[in-house]
Amino acid sequence: MTSRAREIIVADDSEALARIAAQHLLHRIAQQPQRVAICLTGGSGPSRLYQLLAGEFAGAIPWPRVHWFIGDERFVPPDDPLSNMGVARRAFLDGRAPPGHIHPMPTDAATPDAVARRYQEELQNFYGAAQLAPTRPLFDLTLMGIGPDGHTASLFPEAPALAETSRWVVGVEHAAVPPLVPRVTLTLPALASSRELLFLAGGAAKREIITRLRAGADLPAARARAVDGDTVWLIDRAAAGSARDA
Ligand code: 6PG
């Protein structure tokens, strides 16, 4: 099955970007009358969005039917400031999402790969099958970031994890960019199983990598595509270069 073309949305600034992201999240939740699965990302990209979800938009989220997953994690204890799910919990999940609906990667396992195997099992139990069906996505919305080298989740350029076709989650012993701690990441097939893959990339620091990706660079962020859903890049003017370039 071929994926649909990527859509690029250029927000005026970082505030508009976070608000558009919040609207996408609420829209995906509204489209799904029953249980909803949202996959979150690490990095600084979603921080304003998380604030909005804790504040202005908190009342619009039907918390009892939403489940929260994480697309990649640093191999650190859950309360470490580097923990991606830890950041999301402190920012908006704790005290709002039912505790059983927050699905962190279990970083108390012996190795990143052991974490990956346990998380894959958890995802398979949630999904109700060991194989992903293209027409029945695992996630309703998956948030993604874009690193300076074109990585997304913890899928770094040229890493073996990129070639994975059957596992949903893998351990990554070496990160290519800071923080240089081992990681655990969803694979391209698992990320592809999303109704919407929503990349957030704002600020002038993203301009160079966004320009390379838009010119066709074959980097992980370009390879992550929803197989039977929407792939959306939400960037701001600073990242796009200028309103005219966009
Ligand atoms: C992580 C991430 C990673 C991140 C990008 C962009 O654990 O570091 O999930 O893929 O999304 O590096 O990060 P920023 O949003 O901080 O630029």
Side-chain angles (χ1 to χ4, degrees):
M1 187 169 306
T2 50
S3 50
R4 294 176 212 160
R6 166 206 301 154
E7 180 190 356
I8 300 186
I9 299 174
V10 182
D12 282 345
D13 53 25
S14 56
E15 180 65 20
L17 185 151
R19 286 175 179 278
I20 295 170
Q23 296 300 348
H24 278 238
L25 191 138
L26 293 178
H27 172 72
R28 291 292 164 183
I29 292 175
Q31 296 251 296
Q32 187 58 265
Q34 291 159 356
R35 191 181 70 164
V36 184
I38 306 290
C39 187
L40 301 170
T41 182
S44 56
S47 48
R48 177 61 185 146
L49 167 65
Y50 289 176
Q51 275 179 358
L52 291 171
L53 298 180
E56 194 176 325
F57 292 91
I61 298 176
W63 296 98
R65 62 185 186 87
V66 185
H67 288 253
W68 307 89
F69 296 87
I70 192 84
D72 76 313
E73 189 53 277
R74 289 91 180 260
F75 190 54
V76 295
D79 55 354
D80 189 292
L82 289 178
S83 165
N84 286 339
M85 190 56 114
V87 167
R89 292 188 81 124
R90 289 187 294 276
F92 76 102
L93 292 173
D94 283 345
R96 296 185 182 84
H101 289 198
I102 304 173
H103 303 265
M105 291 186 178
T107 52
D108 57 347
T111 62
D113 215 53
V115 177
R117 291 184 189 281
R118 277 170 57 185
Y119 205 55
Q120 173 164 323
E121 246 179 68
E122 180 164 353
L123 287 169
Q124 289 174 332
N125 286 338
F126 179 85
Y127 185 67
Q131 300 294 326
L132 293 165
T135 51
R136 187 169 73 85
L138 171 59
F139 301 117
D140 294 289
L141 178 85
T142 300
L143 295 176
M144 308 285 284
I146 299 178
D149 56 349
H151 79 261
T152 193
S154 285
L155 295 167
F156 298 101
E158 325 245 329
L162 274 177
E164 186 58 54
T165 53
S166 57
R167 288 179 62 187
W168 299 13
V169 194
V170 294
V172 175
E173 286 297 335
H174 301 286
V177 297
L180 300 177
V181 291
R183 315 283 187 102
V184 183
T185 187
L186 264 60
T187 58
L188 290 174
L191 294 165
S193 187
S194 304
R195 289 187 202 283
E196 179 174 343
L197 213 48
L198 179 62
F199 287 84
L200 307 180
K206 300 285 179 196
R207 186 180 301 177
E208 192 185 327
I209 188 63
I210 293 291
T211 305
R212 284 180 64 199
L213 288 163
R214 291 177 80 176
D218 181 23
L219 291 167
R223 291 205 205 165
R225 296 276 185 125
V227 72
D228 192 33
D230 299 316
T231 303
V232 181
W233 286 20
L234 178 51
I235 62 180
D236 63 8
R237 275 201 224 164
S242 73
R244 208 187 51 220
D245 295 346

